[in-house]
Amino acid sequence: MMLTTASPLTDSSIDPKLITKLAGLELTTVGELLRYVPRRYIRRGQVSATERPEPDEWITVIGRVEKSQMIAMKRRYGKFLKIVVNDGQNRYEASFFNAKYIQRVLVSGVRVALAGKVKYFNNQIQLSHPDWLVLPDDGMDVHGTSMMAELLADERGGPADDGADGPEALTGTADDVEHFSRAIIPMYPATRDVQTWEIWRAVRQVVADTVPAADPLTGEQRSARGFITSDEAIRHIHLPDTMDQVEQARDRLKFDEALAVQTALAQRRADLGAEVAIGCPHVPGGLEDQLAERLPFELTGGQKTVLSEIGDDLAVDHPMNRLLQGEVGSGKTLVSLLAMLRVVDNGHQCAILAPTEVLAAQHYRTVMTMLGDLARGGELGGADGATRVGLLTGSLGTAAKRQTLLDAVTGDSGIVIGTHALLQGNVEFFDLGMVVVDEQHRFGVEQRDVLRGKGREDRRPHFLVMTATPIPRTVAMTTFGDLDTSVMTELPRGRQPIKTTVVPMSKPAWVDRVWERANEEIDAGRQVYVVCTRIGDEESNKKTPGKKATGKSTRTKAEEKEDDTVSVLQQAQMLETGPLAARRIAVLHGRMHPDDKNDVMDAFTRGDVDVLVATTVIEVGVDVPNATTMAIVNAERFGVSQLHQLRGRVGRGRHAGLCLLMTAAHDLSASMERLKAVEASNDGFELAMVDLQQRREGDILGALQSGGKSSLSFLSLIDDVDVIADARDLSESIVDGDRDLTDHPALADLVRAVLLPSRAEYLEKS
């Protein structure tokens, strides 16, 4: 029976045991298997890798046995086989227990494939009891090698000597050996349960039995781009005869990935364009105009441009869906407030969703301060036509929460600010006309969709997403392609520059100077942030209940490594008893009671606290103009964009900002390179590219996944801006005339194959 890409692997001729193994990689259909592509290729005679692997990485090594000997075990009776394999680049030590029969085969000079988890001892790469396969040498008969594999397979499973575990089963077949006989050997991402040669065996079987799929591109479209067909690309990526074929396949499959994503986003944009919203034109003399007239400064050019773009969106009868990127301190909050007042002027309500209670409370204070009597509707001293502003958080008292809910459902509150508490089922609005999501990356798509669904049944609210984390153009086109984008890079006049300096924690004199500098700022009447990676109240050396205490820690390696950093509580105590002993010091972190957090933040805002030692709860939205200095302890533990966000908390008033990046990183490490980049630039978009280059795009593309595995193997958000833009233009031209892809079934199949149902659902919700 011939297969299609939609066929389940159970319909194929693949061995059922191997099908079960492939299911562990979430490969259950022919299409999923064919899109599980090699991670690299090895040409006969070439080395298998150019870099030393990371500890615990699962690798496949192809090389020649240099040394093979049985060694007596020191602490128990018996011997083990130790071999040294050289792949031309590195030497690998592999150990096998109960390996008398393996010793007869893995002798010096034999060419072999090893697959196992990497360990290091004295800087030597080691593989403990790896899976292995004898490979054909030049002139060796492939069939003869297969027979040797079968003989060895027959010998496995004998009684284990000395109670030790028996050897791993040798799973080699003629196809497996042929895999390593090719001029170009595909190497797949493998695991302990399924080896690269087993994956290739399955791929080869389905490639031979699968009907060529229809191509989503026409011959003219392929010719214009110099592409091979999609069927040729799939076959060449798995069974190449030359590296040129691999490159041709990569180019085509890269474009297919971009086209699938952009088509799904184009469909989403078409859907949004068909939805209904309430138009909100400018109302002369309304709250928007009254606030604008009260501002003691002129809006920047960027703020005016973005307000014009938002105003055009709000005036029409389909929902605004806009992403507002703004540099730290560029004035996004004011822009969003003026936009919300336009909606309120038209008789509708707005909601602001913030990721933390600290940020929600900050937004509430800022909005109330900006509006003054314009936010005291129905109160004594309130301005004519004033509205109300509500705050809803999980820690809000019962009476206050009840009042906020009442004002929202009756429509008395024109603006309601809150955290995840806004998403609860008992929160209802009289007429929700606009939703603002601040720091959108802190929320899942389902959470955002819940709030957007709280509008009236016959229409959708306008939707504004804000972020202070600059997003490179390729990322915006790929992960926010269904949103119109506005960018503000210009800082308000009077905003002070921030000087950033890297401080090696290994140099005591430099560290002492950090605290001297903090004292100087405090003596001048200003305030200081100190940011740490963790709180410091974590339990250590936990014992597992019911087991005998051994004195050994049961904590994970990550937890133990985290102990190398300075915590908030440790840092606060050190400062209180040391260089800042005479100062008013407070701590702030996420596990404090919400009332306590608000009290500390209010005290710092009033100037009653000189030094705030905190975790990253102050990363976004916190605005204390008198805070001029920030010391970030163990700065190497933060990403580039996060460091840029953090330092944006200083320099927000009349005085210049100073950010001191205290680090234990080595001078030549990647972490130091990252810190030096932050030191050298205040341009958030430039740093966003640095961040993307260091993290690569895995984290960003992960936003498309909604949890599952990614089928995006070739598309690079760093290098492929032209490819993404081309795919965007093509997808728009197709979707404009065929929204459901009725006349483009091959393209519809491609979208499903690349994105998979969970990814398509993500794009639909986002």
Side-chain angles (χ1 to χ4, degrees):
M1 181 180 67
M2 295 301 290
L3 304 172
T4 69
T5 54
S7 299
L9 292 180
T10 50
D11 287 349
S12 72
S13 59
I14 301 173
D15 182 270
K17 292 182 179 179
L18 180 52
I19 290 177
T20 300
K21 289 183 177 183
L22 294 172
L25 295 175
E26 298 184 52
L27 305 176
T28 59
T29 69
V30 168
E32 290 170 353
L33 177 60
L34 292 179
R35 290 194 174 276
Y36 192 80
V37 297
R39 66 192 301 178
R40 58 191 175 93
Y41 299 85
I42 301 172
R43 281 184 279 187
R44 288 289 300 274
Q46 287 191 338
V47 299
S48 62
T50 57
E51 296 180 356
R52 288 168 66 85
E54 295 293 327
D56 295 328
E57 180 181 352
W58 188 271
I59 65 169
T60 301
V61 176
I62 299 175
R64 198 172 296 279
V65 178
E66 284 189 340
K67 186 178 180 181
S68 176
Q69 65 180 126
M70 295 294 289
I71 300 175
M73 288 185 279
K74 295 181 179 180
R75 297 186 179 181
R76 57 188 296 183
Y77 176 78
K79 297 181 179 181
F80 68 93
L81 175 66
K82 178 179 178 181
I83 68 171
V84 177
V85 174
N86 189 335
D87 70 353
Q89 182 71 28
N90 293 308
R91 283 182 171 82
Y92 303 81
E93 289 184 355
S95 301
F96 301 88
F97 298 92
N98 307 315
K100 293 178 181 178
Y101 70 93
I102 301 178
Q103 180 190 17
R104 299 200 300 268
V105 180
L106 297 186
V107 297
S108 296
V110 167
R111 188 164 174 265
V112 66
L114 303 176
K117 185 180 290 187
V118 172
K119 300 292 183 184
Y120 280 90
F121 181 73
N122 290 336
N123 205 35
Q124 171 64 53
I125 308 172
Q126 297 189 328
L127 302 173
S128 179
H129 214 283
D131 288 343
W132 59 277
L133 189 68
V134 172
L135 304 180
D137 216 333
D138 293 336
M140 179 178 287
D141 178 67
V142 172
H143 180 67
T145 307
S146 174
M147 290 179 63
M148 178 163 44
E150 292 172 3
L151 284 172
L152 290 171
D154 289 339
E155 290 192 38
R156 73 177 185 270
D161 297 334
D162 305 318
D165 292 335
E168 293 293 330
L170 182 63
T171 56
T173 69
D175 277 346
D176 297 338
V177 176
E178 184 175 342
H179 173 208
F180 292 101
S181 305
R182 296 178 58 84
I184 298 176
I185 304 169
M187 304 294 286
Y188 295 86
T191 67
R192 180 182 181 86
D193 296 325
V194 56
Q195 300 300 341
T196 182
W197 50 83
E198 295 178 295
I199 297 169
W200 185 85
R201 185 200 314 163
V203 167
R204 188 173 179 224
Q205 289 176 266
V206 299
V207 165
D209 296 337
T210 301
V211 176
D215 199 310
L217 298 183
T218 66
E220 182 180 354
Q221 291 166 343
R222 290 196 304 270
S223 178
R225 294 168 175 81
F227 287 155
I228 59 177
T229 67
S230 58
D231 184 66
E232 288 173 322
I234 289 292
R235 293 173 187 271
H236 288 345
I237 207 68
H238 293 292
L239 304 169
D241 294 320
T242 67
M243 288 306 295
D244 285 343
Q245 288 183 344
V246 173
E247 291 306 312
Q248 290 176 337
R250 282 174 170 164
D251 288 344
R252 175 58 203 270
L253 295 174
K254 176 190 299 183
F255 184 82
D256 283 355
E257 290 178 355
L259 182 62
V261 173
Q262 294 303 321
T263 298
L265 291 170
Q267 290 176 301
R268 177 63 174 150
R269 288 193 296 272
D271 285 345
L272 293 172
E275 290 182 341
V276 176
I278 191 69
C280 296
H282 173 244
V283 177
L287 294 175
E288 178 188 3
D289 284 353
Q290 292 181 59
L291 175 60
E293 291 170 359
R294 296 182 178 191
L295 295 176
F297 51 81
E298 184 179 352
L299 297 177
T300 67
Q303 287 174 314
K304 292 177 181 178
T305 298
V306 171
L307 278 170
S308 176
E309 293 171 346
I310 293 175
D312 291 342
D313 289 347
L314 293 176
V316 297
D317 59 358
H318 63 263
M320 171 179 71
N321 285 278
R322 184 167 291 276
L323 169 66
L324 172 55
Q325 298 183 65
E327 269 284 15
V328 176
S330 59
K332 297 184 301 301
T333 301
L334 176 57
V335 166
S336 66
L337 178 56
L338 289 168
M340 286 188 288
L341 290 178
R342 179 169 300 194
V343 174
V344 174
D345 285 340
N346 280 269
H348 312 291
Q349 295 169 283
C350 302
I352 303 178
L353 181 61
T356 66
E357 292 198 351
V358 169
L359 182 53
Q362 177 69 47
H363 275 311
Y364 180 75
R365 285 191 292 265
T366 300
V367 170
M368 291 297 293
T369 300
M370 286 182 174
L371 291 180
D373 59 352
L374 298 178
R376 297 188 175 88
E379 299 179 19
L380 186 64
D384 291 339
T387 188
R388 289 185 185 175
V389 178
L391 176 65
L392 186 64
T393 64
S395 64
L396 203 64
T398 301
K401 185 179 296 184
R402 185 182 295 115
Q403 186 63 53
T404 297
L405 293 173
L406 179 62
D407 288 346
V409 75
T410 60
D412 289 341
S413 282
I415 299 173
V416 180
I417 302 168
T419 57
H420 296 76
L422 282 176
L423 307 176
Q424 296 175 357
N426 64 334
V427 179
E428 298 180 13
F429 290 85
F430 178 74
D431 187 2
L432 184 61
M434 182 176 177
V435 173
V436 178
V437 178
D438 196 13
E439 293 307 321
Q440 57 77 33
H441 61 282
R442 302 290 190 90
F443 295 97
V445 290
E446 290 83 2
Q447 294 169 315
R448 300 198 298 267
D449 202 53
V450 166
L451 186 54
R452 190 158 54 181
K454 288 183 179 290
R456 293 196 171 184
E457 292 185 2
D458 59 340
R459 59 176 183 258
R460 299 278 279 184
H462 297 285
F463 194 63
L464 179 66
V465 171
M466 299 196 302
T467 179
T469 302
I471 303 172
R473 179 173 172 238
T474 49
V475 180
M477 283 195 295
T478 302
T479 58
F480 302 104
D482 57 341
L483 302 178
D484 297 314
T485 302
S486 295
V487 178
M488 294 194 309
T489 58
E490 181 182 359
L491 298 182
R493 277 177 285 279
R495 179 66 193 249
Q496 300 302 314
I498 303 173
K499 178 177 175 54
T500 303
T501 301
V502 176
V503 178
M505 295 170 68
S506 59
K507 299 181 178 180
W510 288 51
V511 174
D512 291 344
R513 179 57 185 147
V514 169
W515 309 126
E516 290 173 4
R517 191 72 182 81
N519 271 313
E520 291 168 4
E521 288 296 302
I522 297 169
D523 286 340
R526 297 186 276 274
Q527 294 163 277
V528 176
Y529 293 104
V530 179
V531 180
C532 301
T533 62
R534 61 190 177 94
I535 299 170
D537 60 353
E538 302 87 355
E539 293 181 14
S540 62
N541 198 27
K542 297 178 181 177
K543 301 293 189 302
T544 303
K547 290 190 177 182
K548 182 179 179 180
T550 62
K552 295 181 179 179
S553 173
T554 60
R555 309 185 73 209
T556 66
K557 291 182 179 179
E559 289 171 331
E560 291 172 354
K561 186 176 181 181
E562 189 71 11
D563 284 342
D564 295 337
T565 63
V566 181
S567 71
V568 165
L569 300 183
Q570 289 170 337
Q571 188 66 68
Q573 183 179 25
M574 185 274 288
L575 295 176
E576 288 170 348
T577 58
L580 302 182
R583 307 304 183 179
R584 298 169 296 177
I585 298 174
V587 300
L588 182 68
H589 57 75
R591 282 206 285 267
M592 293 170 59
H593 189 279
D595 290 342
D596 294 335
K597 285 190 288 188
N598 290 334
D599 290 344
V600 169
M601 202 64 236
D602 287 341
F604 190 64
T605 302
R606 292 193 306 269
D608 295 340
V609 170
D610 299 317
V611 181
L612 183 62
V613 185
T615 58
T616 55
V617 294
I618 54 92
E619 178 182 349
V620 292
V622 175
D623 186 9
V624 181
N626 194 47
T628 56
T629 301
M630 174 176 287
I632 303 178
V633 186
N634 297 118
E636 71 277 3
R637 297 299 181 94
F638 299 99
V640 169
S641 295
Q642 191 173 30
L643 290 171
H644 183 59
Q645 282 267 25
L646 284 166
R647 71 175 170 186
R649 300 308 103 205
V650 299
R652 304 177 75 88
R654 295 182 296 109
H655 304 285
L658 174 65
C659 180
L660 302 169
L661 304 177
M662 303 173 66
T663 179
H666 298 298
D667 288 344
L668 300 179
S669 66
S671 296
M672 182 61 77
E673 180 182 349
R674 185 168 66 246
L675 297 179
K676 288 294 186 182
V678 177
E679 180 183 55
S681 177
N682 279 313
D683 185 331
F685 286 89
E686 177 183 333
L687 292 175
M689 284 305 300
V690 172
D691 197 19
L692 186 60
Q693 287 164 355
Q694 283 220 340
R695 292 186 294 121
R696 299 302 295 180
E697 49 266 30
D699 294 345
I700 304 299
L701 291 177
L704 283 172
Q705 296 180 46
S706 184
K709 66 184 176 68
S710 174
S711 20
L712 297 176
S713 303
F714 301 101
L715 192 64
S716 167
L717 300 184
I718 298 173
D719 304 322
D720 295 330
V721 58
D722 293 338
V723 173
I724 295 171
D726 183 17
R728 182 184 174 100
D729 291 342
L730 178 58
S731 64
E732 284 183 340
S733 68
I734 294 172
V735 172
D736 282 349
D738 185 15
R739 157 64 186 85
D740 296 324
L741 303 180
T742 303
D743 298 328
H744 297 80
L747 180 55
D749 288 342
L750 176 67
V751 173
R752 285 191 292 270
V754 171
L755 293 183
L756 305 181
S758 62
R759 260 61 83 200
E761 180 183 359
Y762 172 91
L763 291 172
E764 180 65 24
K765 289 185 176 181
S766 63

